[in-house]
Amino acid sequence: MKDNYIGVIDSGMGGLTVVNILRKKYPQENILFFGDTANVPYGDKSPEEIKHLSGRIINFLNKYPLQAIIIACNTIDSNAGKYLKEISNIPIYNIIKPTCIKACQLTKNKRIGIMATTAAVKSNAYKKELLNLDNSLHIFQKDCPKLVPLIESGHFDKDDPLIYEAVKNYLDDLLTKNIDTLILGCTHYPLLTAIFEELAANINIVSSSNEAVQYYSKNNKDNHNKQGEELYWVSANSDMFQDNAQKFLQKPIKVKEITIE
Ligand code: DGL
């Protein structure tokens, strides 16, 4: 193991959309990805379960040489973000606030749609943060429980009718609200960028994965003395994860399965 990794945590594949952008911005940083695939999806769980599951990831990662942890999961940030900051020895970077700031900058008609997991929608974290930034906004939330399980089982190609129809059904509802800005409030959804670009071609799409990295990069320069190592750790199903991850990242990677308490 090397040193000073940027930790990226999620329940699964969504974290890779953050790793992908992070790697382009930081060619030489060491990155440690952790995906809690034994417990994915987090989006159907209670706030207490999400706190417990994500808390144990932080306690586990606290033992490793990390310079920062990016919460690459809106569901974790919305239900446990504050708690994780309290228990972590390592600086934590959140995802929801920077995403809201970007959406506020882009909207002209002040009508913003959010697609996210059920637990993230129920928490109202996006709604509260957006209204805090601008209380004249109209916010429309849509929870999309089918998307994460489909993506985790390998359905993320634009030509895959299962995922295409699922996205279309969720999105159609939001598009009737005359939104001009759509927040992809789950890091799994940027795996479906090609579908969103087709179905929501005329509106601003704000990717929470992108905004999480932009926020991190405002505060941190690339460390040019590093080796650019990438570690991929998951808590279950490493073979399937590796296949899907390689398909998305378009490069070979080695995924290690590890058990955490
Ligand atoms: N990728 C996670 C997010 O951004 C959620 C996935 C899940 O439901 O486990 O919310």
Side-chain angles (χ1 to χ4, degrees), residues 10-11 14-15 40-44 72-76 117 120 148 185-188:
D10 182 36
S11 58
V40 69
Y42 275 27
D44 64 1
C73 178
N74 296 268
T75 308
I76 294 178
T117 66
V148 169
C186 170
T187 54
H188 279 69

Side-chain angles (χ1 to χ4, degrees), residues 34 57 218 244 255 260:
F34 181 82
I57 300 174
K218 274 188 195 136
N244 288 333
V255 177
I260 63 173

Side-chain angles (χ1 to χ4, degrees), residues 8-44:
V8 175
I9 66 164
D10 182 36
S11 58
M13 293 283 289
L16 298 178
T17 64
V18 171
V19 170
N20 211 16
I21 303 164
L22 195 61
R23 173 50 78 222
K24 285 185 190 128
K25 261 202 146 24
Y26 294 94
Q28 287 179 285
E29 291 287 358
N30 297 326
I31 297 174
L32 192 166
F33 163 89
F34 181 82
D36 193 9
T37 48
N39 295 295
V40 69
Y42 275 27
D44 64 1

Side-chain angles (χ1 to χ4, degrees), residues 196-207:
F196 283 106
E197 281 176 352
E198 181 189 308
L199 295 175
N202 299 323
I203 60 177
N204 305 309
I205 297 176
V206 181
S207 153

Side-chain angles (χ1 to χ4, degrees), residues 111-183:
R111 300 174 73 83
I112 298 178
I114 302 152
M115 290 173 73
T117 66
T118 303
V121 167
K122 274 193 185 159
S123 77
N124 276 321
Y126 264 108
K127 196 170 179 182
K128 285 181 201 152
E129 192 65 60
L130 284 164
L131 291 174
N132 203 21
L133 291 165
D134 179 349
N135 65 11
S136 68
L137 292 171
H138 299 274
I139 316 288
F140 305 92
Q141 304 193 80
K142 183 78 187 166
D143 69 324
C144 311
K146 287 186 187 160
L147 299 187
V148 169
L150 278 172
I151 292 167
E152 286 293 319
S153 55
H155 296 277
F156 50 86
D157 267 2
K158 185 173 179 248
D159 300 331
D160 183 322
L162 268 181
I163 194 76
Y164 187 91
E165 281 308 312
V167 172
K168 188 170 175 348
N169 284 337
Y170 292 130
L171 191 57
D172 277 352
D173 198 40
L174 281 177
L175 293 178
T176 62
K177 313 287 188 206
N178 189 29
I179 55 168
D180 73 350
T181 301
L182 172 70
I183 293 177

